[in-house]
């Protein structure tokens, strides 16, 4: 077994001999079913966090009977500690466009939208300029597909797919009830494929290099590689494309400052892994999945403050519509403060853990459902830091 | 396309329901009740309170029963350990955000959150109190509605009501997270926004966050004041709904008991808004005929047609805000409540030898907008505020209880005379289409000398709960003085609920519609579904009230407004003829352009 993390160069690689449009031309020669089969075979799972198999998502949407369908590229990137989608859109936007166009071809959509995080508006000008060229290239090829950018509203929850649709439709960014799922009723309640920026690039690249090469990377449950946003107490913060399925210890060896006591895997809504579990934690769908955010904490950090920051974030970013999340987040935040001040006994932390159990199964969307991830993993592993 | 059946199990009992049915509805079929808060039969599904969560075997998440459609083979448990724990947590979380001073709350005993808390016995105050002190400051700016954010549980029923049923959108969700709340535009006070005072939000608020601005104490004080002569008028729709707040099933007619209880409470005279409803028909019918004559004979292009009814003050304010260009189309007739007030403090006060300044006029209304209407500066034609206090049906029910009267045991009594006589045409004012039907019964007969050509005078096309109803009546064999109407097809339309009013107004504005006369009631179902009526409300409940209204009409000997002897009398003795100068001074009004924002 290798000792070092395996760095990969797929996403940002700019081969001189094949442009994204070449990939597109070649791919559109194939049948939609053929492309779907290859995607399913590749084992590609969504890179936005939920990890749904991309090929299946496309297949479901293709099978829906509707004149109007949409492709949405989710570039809301609101998860604290994630900044890879910005980099992708900045450096290789044509690959994203290509992935979207392939999707449009496969499912039968004529319009694609990039939902761009409000804070990334500085990218708008160049992105639109490049889109103009790309859209024109599509027209020149008689490909009935056009891509537009929509600027986001600046709320974290708008990255949640159904809230994103609501926001795009001009309403408050509040998640919808599911079912129906986007594949059946997404943007404008039409069948929609929504994929993360990175997912779409992998699609384009799988179409170029073939499923076999992609599959050769990673593990059975976590095929391929993934772009990580590395931050926190590391001498080398930045964006890295790494093979999936590595143990966290190997990651820390590479990126840590020698004093890492915990890594928050998957951003604020992810899991906190303490040093003692580094070796046994696999980064991937069989272990701890991540949308890409890896935050390292060394021994100088107060995990109470880390948790408090996260809870403040969720308390503010909950859309506020459903009870478990809106009130639950406030209770967790006020609760750890009360315990810290000695106004509630340490056992109150266990009451709150039970509450996260309710939030996990009763909240309306992934935001409220996942607040328990950081809460429980930090409380369980750093209880003293919370109480004293 | 016919829907096919889906088979599932709920609490181990198999059931088959139509595809698309929610788990909540399916459970109801098996008589399992699942608690709900944000759900309401009149509104779209929100699924945001999460109180209705149930467990579906094999699913990682609980499902909101109201928002989750059944699927084949589903195995649902409505009361598993997970469900109960979550549900209790959710109720406790709502209580943490809720100002639980229940004993002092106007909705004490009528609160869905209170009911749930007592069902689930949440007493152990697990969670931290989150009520914000500033939310405890009530918005009492509106004469109709009181908003108390500290009682709000964010179910958004009011927001959906204001948008989906009324298309007013005076209430909206603002902010997110812990700052999320239900607010008006720019958080202005309710009195300063587009709110029509219809009170439909109150009818659907599960807690005490939205209640009527109540005047119960003021009315008791007037009754206790020996120097005041207190007369009361009762609107048509009150008599078919009051009983619901006093322990009866919906649809019970209690006209005689209503009179009786008001006398027992101590009102000096118990009179009837139905009297002025009949009078409205004479005034409004005449106005319509005059407008038609101006248009058809004088070819006056300035005459505003279609003419629109003006009895519903929520609708009036809606029109003032949203369609100011159509204000001339509104009949200038005051509403029956205000005609009553103006006559009570002039004609009636003279007759019974009471000074107008010593008279207090109280109305019992199914409506909260009537409270606003009574305070309009235009409504002081007697020289005083014509109607002093407006109580909702609900407030009256509270007074009945406070007075310690056993409503069930009361004997029927008759309204006092004068201003107490009425016809079946007046009582149907309480249902959507009723004013139209009453007007047609009279106008057709004035013009042709014959009764309207409908069996038993029942003009079925304008009845019922369809949002917009249309009818055309061909006028034939007219009396000589109405020859210009010979052969005319009189086109009428009826809408109830402001969302339907808006649809109709847009058609009128674009010129797409060619109606002569339009009836609009601000509330779904008309006054019987008014914002002051007993809670809860639902399509079924409103249907029962409507049946009661039409049964009341059918039971009356006089069923046409122009046959009301007291109406004939008041023209002879006091007003002269319909639309006379005096009638204009006392019974007609004008409207005001208001801003949208
Ligand atoms: C609160 C919340 C925020 C989310 N934010 C993002 C985001 O910024 N970008 C993203 O791609 N997916 C985000 N997701 C996941 C999306 O809902 C969706 O699963 C994803 O866009 C699907 O794309 P994929 O299959 O390519 O991963 C978020 C989910 C939740 C619950
Ligand atoms: S879980 Fe939170 S963010 Fe999601 S719908 Fe509920 S309140 Fe909104």
């Amino acid at each position: 077994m290798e000792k070092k993390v395996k760095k990969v160069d797929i996403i940002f690689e700019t081969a001189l001999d094949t442009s994204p449009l070449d990939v597109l031309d070649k791919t559109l020669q194939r049948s939609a079913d053929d492309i779907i089969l290859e995607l399913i075979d590749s084992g590609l799972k969504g890179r936005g966090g939920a990890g749904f198999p991309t090929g299946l998502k496309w297949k479901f949407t293709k099978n829906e009977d509707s004149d109007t369908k949409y492709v949405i590229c989710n570039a809301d990137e609101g998860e604290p500690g994630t900044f890879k989608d910005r980099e992708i859109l900045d450096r290789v936007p044509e690959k994203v466009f290509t992935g979207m166009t392939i999707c449009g071809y496969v499912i039968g959509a004529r319009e694609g939208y990039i939902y761009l995080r409000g804070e990334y508006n500085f990218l708008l000008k160049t992105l639109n300029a490049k889109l103009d060229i790309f859209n024109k290239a599509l027209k020149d090829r008689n490909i009935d597909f056009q891509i537009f950018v929509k600027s986001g509203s600046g709320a974290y929850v708008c990255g949640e797919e159904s809230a994103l649709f609501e926001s795009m439709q001009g309403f408050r960014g509040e998640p919808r009830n599911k079912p129906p799922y986007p594949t059946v009723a997404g943007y404008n309640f039409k069948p929609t494929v929504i994929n993360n920026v990175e997912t779409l690039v992998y699609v384009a690249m799988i179409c170029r290099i073939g499923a076999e090469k992609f599959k050769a990377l990673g593990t059975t449950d976590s095929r391929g590689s993934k772009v990580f946003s590395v931050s926190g107490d590391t001498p080398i913060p930045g964006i890295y494309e790494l093979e999936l399925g590595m143990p966290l210890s190997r990651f820390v060896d590479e990126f840590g400052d020698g004093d890492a006591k915990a890594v928050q895997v998957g951003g604020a809504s992810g899991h906190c892994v303490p040093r003692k579990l580094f070796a046994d934690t696999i980064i991937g769908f069989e272990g701890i999945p991540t949308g890409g955010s890896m935050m390292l904490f060394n021994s100088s950090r107060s995990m109470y403050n880390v948790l408090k920051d996260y809870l403040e974030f969720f308390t503010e970013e909950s859309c506020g519509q459903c009870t478990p999340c809106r009130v639950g987040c406030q209770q967790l935040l006020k609760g750890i403060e009360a315990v810290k001040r000695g106004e509630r006994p340490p056992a109150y932390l266990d009451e709150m853990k039970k509450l996260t159990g309710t939030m996990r199964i009763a909240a309306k969307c992934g935001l409220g459902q996942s607040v328990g991830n950081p809460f429980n993993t930090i409380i369980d592993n750093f209880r003293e830091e919370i109480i004293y | 396309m016919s829907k096919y059946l889906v088979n599932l199990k709920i609490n181990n009992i198999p059931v088959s329901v139509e595809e698309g049915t929610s788990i909540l509805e399916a459970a109801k079929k098996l008589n399992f009740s699942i608690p709900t808060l944000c759900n309401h039969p009149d509104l779209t599904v929100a699924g945001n309170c999460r109180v209705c969560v149930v467990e579906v075997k094999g699913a990682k998440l609980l499902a909101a029963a109201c928002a989750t459609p059944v699927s084949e083979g589903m195995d649902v448990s409505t009361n598993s350990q997970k469900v109960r724990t979550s549900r209790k947590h959710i109720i406790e979380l709502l209580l943490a955000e809720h100002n639980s001073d229940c004993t002092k709350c106007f909705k004490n005993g009528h609160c869905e959150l209170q009911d749930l808390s007592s069902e689930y016995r949440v007493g152990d105050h697990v969670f931290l109190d989150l009520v914000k002190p500033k939310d405890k400051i009530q918005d009492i700016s509106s004469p109709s509605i009181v908003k108390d954010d500290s009682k709000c549980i964010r179910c958004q029923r009011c927001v959906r009501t204001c948008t989906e049923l009324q298309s007013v959108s005076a209430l909206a969700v603002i902010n997110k997270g812990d700052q999320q709340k239900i607010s008006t535009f720019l958080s202005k006070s309710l009195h300063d926004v587009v709110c029509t005072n219809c009170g439909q939000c109150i009818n659907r608020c599960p807690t005490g966050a939205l209640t009527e601005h109540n005047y119960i104490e003021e009315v008791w004080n007037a009754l206790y004041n020996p120097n005041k002569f207190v007369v009361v008028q009762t609107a048509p729709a009150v008599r078919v709904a009051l009983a619901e707040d006093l322990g009866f099933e919906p649809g019970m007619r209690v006209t005689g008991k209503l009179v009786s209880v008001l006398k027992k409470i101590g009102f000096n005279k118990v009179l009837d808004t139905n009297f002025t409803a009949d009078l409205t028909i004479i005034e409004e019918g005449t106005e319509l005929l005059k407008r038609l004559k101006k248009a058809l004979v004088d070819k006056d292009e300035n005459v505003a047609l279609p003419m629109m009814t003006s009895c519903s003050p929520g609708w009036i304010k809606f029109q003032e805000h949203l369609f100011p260009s159509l204000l001339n189309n509104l009949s200038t007739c005051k509403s029956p409540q205000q005609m009553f007030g103006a006559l009570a403090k002039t004609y009636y006060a003279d007759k019974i030898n009471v000074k107008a300044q010593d008279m207090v006029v109280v109305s019992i209304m199914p409506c909260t907008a009537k409270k606003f209407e009574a305070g309009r500066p235009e409504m002081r034609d007697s020289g005083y505020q014509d109607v002093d206090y407006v109580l909702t049906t609900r407030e009256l029910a509270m007074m009945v209880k406070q007075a310690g009267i056993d409503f069930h045991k009361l004997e029927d009594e008759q309204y006092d005379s004068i201003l107490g006589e009425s016809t079946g045409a007046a009582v149907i004012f309480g249902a959507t289409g009723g004013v139209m039907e009453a007007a047609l019964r009279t106008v057709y007969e004035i013009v042709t000398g014959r009764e309207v050509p409908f069996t038993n005078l029942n003009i079925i096309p304008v009845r019922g709960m369809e949002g917009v109803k249309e009818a055309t009546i061909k006028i034939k064999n007219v009396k000589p003085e109405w020859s210009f109407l010979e052969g005319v097809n009189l086109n009428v339309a009826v809408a109830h609920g402001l969302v339907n009013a808006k649809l109709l107004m847009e058609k009128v504005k674009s010129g797409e519609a060619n109606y002569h006369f339009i009836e609009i009631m601000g509330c779904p179902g008309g006054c019987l579904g008014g914002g002051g009526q007993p809670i809860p409300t639902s399509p079924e409940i409103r249907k029962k009230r409507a049946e009661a209204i039409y049964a009341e009409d059918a039971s009356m000997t006089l069923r046409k407004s122009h046959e009301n002897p007291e109406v004939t009398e008041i023209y002879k003795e006091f007003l002269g003829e319909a639309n006379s100068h005096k009638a204009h001074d006392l019974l007609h009004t004008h409207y005001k352009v208001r801003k949208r924002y």
Side-chain angles (χ1 to χ4, degrees), chain B residues 479-528:
Chain B
K479 290 190 192 165
E481 63 267 39
W482 301 104
S483 59
F484 68 94
L485 288 173
E486 182 62 41
V488 164
N489 281 320
L490 190 68
N491 298 325
V492 302
V494 174
H496 59 116
L498 292 171
V499 71
N500 296 314
K502 191 172 179 188
L503 281 178
L504 208 47
M505 286 310 109
E506 270 156 8
K507 271 196 185 173
V508 169
K509 217 173 148 182
S510 70
E512 187 189 327
N514 67 333
Y515 306 114
H516 299 102
F517 189 31
I518 294 179
E519 177 207 291
I520 308 256
M521 291 295 159
C523 292
C527 305
L528 58 86

Side-chain angles (χ1 to χ4, degrees), chain A residues 154-156 172 174 177-179 314-324 326-328 330-331 334-335 338 344 348 351 354-355 357-358 360-364 369, chain B residues 45-50 53 60-62 64 67-69 82 85-86 89-90 93-94 96-97 125-130 132 153-154 156 173-178 180:
Chain A
Y156 168 59
R172 264 177 73 82
E174 288 186 351
N177 292 302
K178 284 167 225 147
F314 290 123
T315 298
E316 197 178 314
E317 292 299 330
S318 156
C319 82
Q321 70 165 315
C322 81
T323 315
R326 178 187 67 250
V327 198
Q330 295 178 68
Q331 289 296 342
K334 299 250 153 107
R344 292 269 158 152
Y348 189 59
E351 287 302 322
K354 285 186 206 150
L355 173 59
T358 289
R360 179 180 309 283
I361 58 176
K364 190 167 176 176
Q369 288 157 14
Chain B
V45 171
N48 61 30
C49 76
R50 315 305 284 178
V53 285
K60 273 191 267 172
L61 306 175
L62 300 182
T68 311
K82 267 191 195 168
T85 306
S86 295
H89 265 146
I90 290 165
L93 289 173
L94 286 170
E97 246 188 349
H125 294 293
V126 219
F127 295 125
L128 302 163
D129 184 19
L130 299 172
K132 301 183 185 78
I153 58 166
R154 279 78 158 176
Q156 305 186 23
V173 182
I174 61 161
N175 303 338
K176 58 185 175 22
D178 56 337
Q180 187 240 35

Side-chain angles (χ1 to χ4, degrees), chain A residues 45-52 54 57 74-79 85 156-162 194-197 199-200 365-367 370:
Chain A
K45 290 181 182 171
R47 298 303 195 231
F52 194 83
T54 306
K57 190 185 273 194
N74 189 342
D76 195 52
E77 197 163 52
E79 189 70 49
D85 293 338
Y156 168 59
V157 72
C158 286
E160 194 280 340
E161 51 201 25
S162 62
I194 176 162
N195 274 131
N196 176 253
V197 176
T199 313
L200 289 161
C365 86
L367 191 154
S370 55

Side-chain angles (χ1 to χ4, degrees), chain B residues 28 42 44 54 113 192 307 334 339 403 470 480 507 544:
Chain B
K28 241 178 232 164
D42 288 322
T44 56
V54 295
L113 182 62
D192 296 324
M307 190 174 96
K334 285 181 183 170
M339 285 196 183
E470 293 175 321
K507 271 196 185 173
K544 292 207 175 109

Side-chain angles (χ1 to χ4, degrees), chain B residues 76-318:
Chain B
V76 179
S77 166
T78 67
N79 195 33
S80 69
Q81 187 173 17
K82 267 191 195 168
V83 169
R84 252 186 67 82
T85 306
S86 295
R87 205 172 273 163
K88 215 170 159 185
H89 265 146
I90 290 165
I91 298 167
E92 284 163 349
L93 289 173
L94 286 170
L95 288 173
E97 246 188 349
H98 179 81
N99 176 6
S100 300
D101 66 348
C102 302
T103 51
K104 295 175 215 153
C105 181
F106 191 66
K107 288 286 283 292
N108 190 11
H110 300 272
C111 170
E112 294 177 36
L113 182 62
Q114 196 182 38
D115 291 348
L116 263 186
S117 318
S118 82
E119 258 175 46
Y120 280 78
R121 292 290 140 197
V122 280
D124 36 357
H125 294 293
V126 219
F127 295 125
L128 302 163
D129 184 19
L130 299 172
V131 182
K132 301 183 185 78
K134 69 172 183 335
D135 284 348
K136 289 191 183 174
I137 305 163
Q138 296 182 331
D139 178 358
I140 53 166
S141 64
S142 155
S144 300
I145 300 172
V146 174
K147 182 166 175 276
D148 183 341
D149 291 341
S150 71
K151 304 278 169 64
C152 174
I153 58 166
R154 279 78 158 176
C155 67
Q156 305 186 23
R157 268 160 45 167
C158 57
V159 175
R160 280 176 283 149
T161 300
C162 200
T163 307
E164 295 170 9
L165 302 181
Q166 301 298 69
S167 68
V168 173
S169 300
L171 295 173
V173 182
I174 61 161
N175 303 338
K176 58 185 175 22
D178 56 337
Q179 300 302 317
Q180 187 240 35
K181 63 187 283 187
I182 311 305
S183 175
T184 55
F185 180 66
L186 295 178
S187 300
K188 290 185 188 183
S189 62
L190 261 184
H191 194 49
D192 296 324
V193 295
V194 65
C195 168
T196 63
N197 303 306
C198 73
Q200 287 302 310
C201 54
I202 300 176
N203 281 1
R204 290 172 187 77
C205 177
T207 69
L210 289 160
T211 52
E212 60 263 61
H213 199 144
N214 86 80
Y215 297 88
I216 295 174
E217 292 310 315
E218 285 83 346
V219 172
W220 279 122
N221 286 337
L223 290 168
Y224 293 140
N225 186 336
N227 301 319
K228 294 291 180 191
F229 190 86
V230 189
V231 305
V232 63
Q233 55 165 322
T234 64
V238 176
R239 62 205 72 192
V240 297
L242 175 68
E244 289 168 40
D245 263 355
L246 296 165
F248 293 91
E249 287 296 303
M252 174 98 172
R253 289 147 57 198
V254 289
T255 315
K257 282 188 165 51
L258 168 65
V259 175
S260 170
V261 84
L262 289 167
K263 290 191 173 170
K264 294 223 161 34
I265 282 175
F267 288 98
N268 297 86
K269 291 288 174 192
V270 179
L271 306 173
D272 205 352
T273 316
N274 286 18
F275 164 74
T276 34
D278 279 332
L279 192 62
T280 299
I281 289 302
I282 308 303
E283 287 295 316
E284 201 163 288
T286 307
E287 184 185 359
L288 175 65
L289 288 171
K290 283 191 171 165
R291 288 198 195 198
L292 289 174
K293 181 153 188 260
K294 271 193 199 152
L296 297 173
V297 180
D298 309 341
K299 306 286 179 210
D300 180 349
E301 289 188 351
N302 292 324
V303 58
L305 282 174
M307 190 174 96
M308 300 166 190
T309 59
S310 55
C311 324
S312 167
W315 146 243
I316 295 297
K317 192 159 179 271
F318 175 86

